[in-house]
């Protein structure tokens, strides 16, 4: 028995890394899991079954409209329902802006943004139909994956950061739209050591230093999953439209854009007037936060 006992959960991008850990933790908490990835997910499915859980492998392309629809249908057909969708799939194509190609831009935007929209759209349509038919799913949940790069910015990731910022905004708006069907929509901005981050030498060094000093593997992708599983469970009924930073044993709420110092008058501004106005506003404004959560 666990907090997701009997729930049916889809995890995209679950062949390895953070997605694999999500699938395993949902299974430990009693969920039946559809393990989705373009790469083979057979090993993850076997791990879940070895734990005594139920799992189904799925290789649909979640950034494809029909593929995403088939993913949702396969969960319902195989397990009889769908309770939670975790949008986790993604890729990196890091380049400085002046060297980035349009293909590198499109690849990242496609899998992250379209790959979040398509499954969410089809899952929401399924839950809405259940609601309209008088047999609503009791606690439908969507958990999306943003990133500190999208919330705070990171050099060399204009494509990835733009996509992840878009997912954060998508989460807030989708939560508002889908609340009337009882659907909650939240997101995480995780930091962990995976194939996508193993080339970040500074981050790798930090993880190794903390592990040597404390024994805690702060970079383990398994650290991310407890929050995702909780957000995907019955327990999170009153939480929606929020984005959470999560790294190691740390969880914090990522607050959305906040209106800072301002000025107004009952007339249109002359451009030259702003030479004094804008610097004053910026002097009183909070600096942008960095990836580390500190002022830039």
């Amino acid at each position: 028995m666990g907090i997701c006992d009997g729930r049916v959960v889809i995890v995209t991008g679950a062949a390895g890394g953070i997605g694999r850990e999500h699938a395993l933790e949902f299974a430990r908490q009693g969920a039946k899991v559809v393990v989705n990835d373009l790469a083979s997910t057979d090993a993850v499915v076997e791990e879940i079954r070895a734990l005594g859980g139920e799992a189904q492998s799925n290789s649909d392309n979640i950034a494809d409209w029909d593929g995403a629809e088939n993913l949702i249908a396969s969960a319902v057909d195989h397990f009889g329902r769908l309770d939670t969708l975790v949008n986790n799939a993604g890729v990196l194509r890091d380049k400085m802006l002046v060297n980035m190609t349009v293909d590198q831009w499109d690849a990242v935007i496609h899998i992250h943004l379209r790959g979040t929209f398509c499954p969410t759209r089809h899952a929401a349509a399924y839950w809405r139909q259940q609601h309209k038919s008088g047999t609503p799913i009791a606690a439908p949940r969507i958990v999306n994956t943003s990133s500190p790069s999208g919330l705070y910015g990171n050099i060399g990731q204009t494509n990835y950061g733009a996509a992840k910022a878009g997912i954060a905004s998508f989460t807030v708006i989708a939560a508002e739209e889908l609340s009337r069907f009882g659907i909650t929509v939240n997101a995480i901005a995780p930091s962990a050591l995976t194939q996508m981050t193993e080339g970040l030498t500074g981050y790798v060094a930090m993880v190794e230093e903390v592990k040597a000093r404390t024994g805690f593997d702060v970079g383990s992708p398994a650290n991310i999953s407890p929050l995702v599983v909780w957000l995907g469970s019955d327990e999170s009924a009153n939480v929606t439209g929020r984005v959470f930073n999560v790294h190691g044993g740390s969880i914090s709420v990522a607050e959305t854009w906040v209106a800072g110092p301002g000025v107004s008058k009952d007339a249109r501004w002359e451009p030259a007037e702003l030479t004094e106005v804008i610097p004053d506003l910026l002097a009183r404004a909070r600096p942008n936060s960095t990836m580390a959560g500190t002022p830039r």
Side-chain angles (χ1 to χ4, degrees), residues 10-28:
I10 292 173
V11 182
T12 70
I18 292 175
R20 169 183 172 273
E21 297 298 341
H22 293 345
L24 291 172
E25 189 58 36
F26 270 112
R28 292 187 191 102

Side-chain angles (χ1 to χ4, degrees), residues 143-154:
V143 185
N144 297 322
T145 307
S146 183
S147 169
S149 294
L151 302 180
Y152 312 111
N154 193 36

Side-chain angles (χ1 to χ4, degrees), residues 50-136:
L51 293 170
E54 295 183 55
Q56 178 194 23
S57 181
N58 179 277
S59 60
D60 283 307
N61 181 353
I62 47 82
D64 175 79
W65 179 255
D66 293 336
E69 183 177 31
N70 188 64
L71 170 63
I72 303 305
S74 68
V76 176
D77 292 344
H78 191 81
F79 291 121
R81 58 188 289 130
L82 174 64
D83 298 284
T84 298
L85 168 65
V86 179
N87 290 307
N88 169 77
V91 296
L92 285 180
R93 297 290 187 271
D94 290 356
K95 280 287 183 181
M96 297 297 284
L97 178 61
V98 295
N99 295 318
M100 186 176 294
T101 67
V102 71
D103 289 341
Q104 290 166 336
W105 174 271
D106 286 346
V108 171
I109 297 298
H110 183 78
I111 189 62
H112 287 280
L113 276 177
R114 188 178 169 104
T116 295
F117 163 71
C118 289
T120 299
R121 165 63 174 77
H122 289 301
Y126 162 71
W127 286 322
R128 181 182 64 175
Q129 182 57 43
Q130 295 298 112
H131 190 274
K132 291 172 65 176
S133 68
T135 56

Side-chain angles (χ1 to χ4, degrees), residues 39-296:
S40 174
T41 59
D42 291 345
V44 182
V45 169
E46 288 306 312
E47 285 186 84
I48 291 173
R49 290 173 179 168
L51 293 170
E54 295 183 55
Q56 178 194 23
S57 181
N58 179 277
S59 60
D60 283 307
N61 181 353
I62 47 82
D64 175 79
W65 179 255
D66 293 336
E69 183 177 31
N70 188 64
L71 170 63
I72 303 305
S74 68
V76 176
D77 292 344
H78 191 81
F79 291 121
R81 58 188 289 130
L82 174 64
D83 298 284
T84 298
L85 168 65
V86 179
N87 290 307
N88 169 77
V91 296
L92 285 180
R93 297 290 187 271
D94 290 356
K95 280 287 183 181
M96 297 297 284
L97 178 61
V98 295
N99 295 318
M100 186 176 294
T101 67
V102 71
D103 289 341
Q104 290 166 336
W105 174 271
D106 286 346
V108 171
I109 297 298
H110 183 78
I111 189 62
H112 287 280
L113 276 177
R114 188 178 169 104
T116 295
F117 163 71
C118 289
T120 299
R121 165 63 174 77
H122 289 301
Y126 162 71
W127 286 322
R128 181 182 64 175
Q129 182 57 43
Q130 295 298 112
H131 190 274
K132 291 172 65 176
S133 68
T135 56
I137 299 297
R141 304 280 185 262
I142 298 169
V143 185
N144 297 322
T145 307
S146 183
S147 169
S149 294
L151 302 180
Y152 312 111
N154 193 36
I155 290 174
Q157 294 190 316
T158 51
N159 51 3
Y160 182 75
K164 290 304 193 180
I167 289 172
S169 294
F170 175 90
T171 296
V172 173
I173 297 167
E176 291 286 341
E177 292 187 5
L178 299 177
S179 61
R180 65 185 184 275
F181 305 118
I183 303 169
T184 67
V185 189
N186 293 286
I188 60 163
S191 298
L193 187 56
T194 67
Q195 287 185 331
M196 291 178 68
T197 58
E198 62 186 5
L200 304 177
T201 55
Y203 180 68
V204 172
M206 182 277 292
V207 169
E208 292 175 349
E209 187 278 326
V210 172
K211 189 172 183 179
R213 179 166 46 84
T214 69
F216 177 44
D217 186 0
V218 70
S220 172
N223 299 328
I224 311 301
S225 300
L227 174 61
V228 171
V229 171
W230 185 84
L231 289 171
S233 74
D234 291 356
E235 303 294 317
S236 60
N238 297 318
V239 180
T240 194
R242 304 312 298 256
V243 181
F244 297 87
N245 298 299
V246 54
H247 174 242
S250 300
I251 298 171
S252 64
V253 178
E255 298 175 337
T256 56
W257 287 93
V258 176
V263 62
S264 63
K265 66 175 184 176
D266 295 326
R268 192 170 107 186
W269 291 95
E270 289 293 332
E273 292 182 278
L274 300 179
T275 301
E276 293 184 1
V277 171
I278 299 303
D280 176 66
L281 292 179
L282 293 176
R284 292 186 282 127
R286 179 185 61 80
N288 290 339
S289 296
T290 66
M291 291 272 285
T294 56
R296 191 179 299 279

